[in-house]
Amino acid sequence: MVTGGRGFLGSEVCRLLEQRGAVVHALGSADYDLTQQAEVRRAMNELRPSVVVHAAAAVGGIGANVANPGLFLYANALMGLMVLEEARLHGVERLVMVSTICVYPERAPIPLREEDVWSGPPVGATGPYGMAKRLLQEACLRYAEQYGFDSAVLILTNLYGPGDNFDEGSSHVIPALIRRYDEARTRGDHSVTNWGSGRATREFLHVRDAARAITRAVEVGPGPRPINIGTGAQTSIAEIASLVRVATGYTGEVRWDASRPEGQPRRYFDVSRARELLGFEASISLEDGIPEAVDSYRSTLSRLSTAP
């Protein structure tokens, strides 16, 4: 059973699990309200899963996090706790809990290591979301301690790839840049302006690599200690923008507005625990992944323009 199984990440997880012979139930928000214990219990009774991947989340861009801190804290904490408790009660053999880089404090040492998650409050506007995910990480550890319940906790870095969210108000860095550059190319704009200096660094993981790590956790059962899932490499926003510019074919001028915020200066993972416990390493480069994401964006636009 994959919660959030029709979303950006969940659909890739379902596809990969099915390729490996699993019978997969992909749950969407219209199927069951996972904030209601009776609904989670109904899902467990009806589907009787042996393994659960909890990838569902109440998420959004910075604006959505600023507008909904209480909702994101409540919904994410409640969904995870309900799924964990009902999985235990229904004899589920293993649960894989999908977590997020938002659990890390703003001033955690770089590269980010799992033992530093609790070294300070989670960062900025995404702090309530990050705190909910921290609670779920701790819950998995305590369920193993008290009940012997088998779970895995994967802390994912920033994802991108086909099927991403390209909405102007809620998309993240790579899809936002893809839309900006492609629209500028279509309109024939002479310049594009990006926020910040471009010097800030981030880590980006292709969604298929993330799905492969989750599938590996389903198979291996690495235990409830949190595991960073990423590339272990940092890339500047200016480098990302350059790759997007080439992939979209935009030829105009690129400007940077340093008066606009760009967040923390550096952010990337230590991924040694993923290698040790899962035998996982990312395999899809940005040079290959970004053109694929551009093609996905254009395919989506084409489908929308031809829809009745």
Side-chain angles (χ1 to χ4, degrees):
M1 185 175 91
V2 180
T3 70
R6 298 194 186 98
F8 172 47
L9 172 62
S11 60
E12 287 289 343
V13 173
C14 291
R15 182 187 60 79
L16 191 53
L17 287 169
E18 286 172 344
Q19 284 181 358
R20 300 194 181 195
V23 176
V24 180
H25 300 284
L27 271 60
S29 57
D31 301 313
Y32 303 92
D33 181 355
L34 299 182
T35 64
Q36 301 297 318
Q37 188 164 10
E39 286 284 279
V40 179
R41 186 170 297 155
R42 181 168 70 89
M44 295 291 178
N45 285 330
E46 291 177 352
L47 303 178
R48 299 193 177 279
S50 57
V51 176
V52 173
V53 175
H54 182 50
V59 294
I62 295 298
N65 278 273
V66 170
N68 301 285
L71 172 63
F72 283 6
L73 179 80
Y74 172 85
N76 286 295
L78 206 57
M79 279 193 290
L81 290 174
M82 296 293 189
V83 169
L84 178 61
E85 174 67 357
E86 291 300 323
R88 178 187 73 84
L89 292 174
H90 284 78
V92 168
E93 296 170 16
R94 178 169 299 142
L95 182 145
V96 177
M97 186 75 72
V98 177
S99 191
T100 168
I101 193 171
C102 298
V103 299
Y104 277 100
E106 182 173 6
R107 292 178 175 82
I110 301 295
L112 299 170
R113 294 179 174 86
E114 294 90 345
E115 55 266 28
D116 292 322
V117 164
W118 288 97
S119 62
V123 62
T126 59
Y129 171 54
M131 186 58 76
K133 290 295 189 176
R134 278 192 190 183
L135 171 64
L136 300 179
Q137 292 177 198
E138 189 70 12
C140 286
L141 288 167
R142 300 311 160 204
Y143 269 55
E145 179 182 287
Q146 181 172 352
Y147 306 117
F149 184 74
D150 187 6
S151 63
V153 176
L154 305 187
I155 305 176
L156 304 187
T157 192
N158 307 288
L159 302 183
Y160 76 100
D164 206 342
N165 171 28
F166 293 95
D167 180 79
E168 190 172 10
S170 59
S171 59
H172 296 128
V173 175
I174 288 180
L177 286 170
I178 288 172
R179 177 169 180 160
R180 185 179 307 153
Y181 278 73
D182 202 57
E183 287 182 346
R185 179 192 60 82
T186 301
R187 292 191 302 260
D189 293 350
H190 296 298
S191 67
V192 164
T193 301
N194 299 319
W195 281 24
S197 67
R199 292 190 292 272
T201 66
R202 295 293 182 269
E203 178 182 23
F204 298 95
L205 181 70
H206 194 282
V207 66
R208 284 202 302 276
D209 274 335
R212 189 163 54 85
I214 291 168
T215 302
R216 184 67 177 157
V218 167
E219 296 171 340
V220 171
R225 283 198 305 160
I227 304 172
N228 286 339
I229 302 297
T231 63
Q234 58 181 329
T235 306
S236 73
I237 301 301
E239 291 176 272
I240 295 294
S242 179
L243 290 170
V244 170
R245 182 184 187 187
V246 171
T248 57
Y250 177 70
T251 58
E253 181 186 359
V254 175
R255 299 172 180 171
W256 294 89
D257 184 356
S259 69
R260 296 285 193 168
E262 60 182 357
Q264 294 163 279
R266 300 171 67 211
R267 206 139 174 96
Y268 70 102
F269 279 163
D270 177 330
V271 294
S272 56
R273 189 178 288 181
R275 285 194 295 267
E276 173 192 346
L277 298 182
L278 295 176
F280 170 80
E281 290 190 26
S283 63
I284 302 173
S285 68
L286 288 165
E287 288 78 7
D288 291 334
I290 286 178
E292 186 184 11
V294 171
D295 289 343
S296 172
Y297 170 68
R298 289 175 175 169
S299 295
T300 302
L301 285 183
S302 179
R303 286 196 303 272
L304 291 174
S305 66
T306 56

